[in-house]
């Protein structure tokens, strides 16, 4: 993993990598987009009409 500060790129230390991984794991799940929600509703409607 690379770290870029003020245009200078360097390799990340193991501690920096661990901090990024921990922050990523603690981040809440992303909400579905409007398109994903509409697609899910359409799948349910189509499945109901197929019966």
């Amino acid at each position: 993993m690379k770290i870029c500060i003020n245009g200078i790129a360097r390799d990340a230390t193991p501690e920096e990598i661990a901090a990024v991984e921990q922050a990523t794991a603690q981040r809440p799940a992303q909400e579905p987009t409007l398109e994903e929600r509409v697609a899910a509703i359409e799948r349910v409607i189509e499945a109901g009409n197929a019966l």
Side-chain angles (χ1 to χ4, degrees):
M1 176 184 289
K2 297 281 187 180
I3 301 288
C4 183
I5 299 175
N6 294 328
I8 299 172
R10 64 173 175 81
D11 289 327
T13 65
E15 292 83 12
E16 290 170 326
I17 294 171
V20 169
E21 290 173 349
Q22 182 182 13
T24 301
Q26 292 176 349
R27 192 173 74 208
Q30 186 176 2
E31 294 289 325
T33 64
L34 177 60
E35 291 81 9
E36 292 169 337
R37 293 172 57 195
V38 169
I41 292 169
E42 288 174 342
R43 284 193 300 271
V44 169
I45 291 171
E46 289 173 1
N49 290 339
L51 295 175

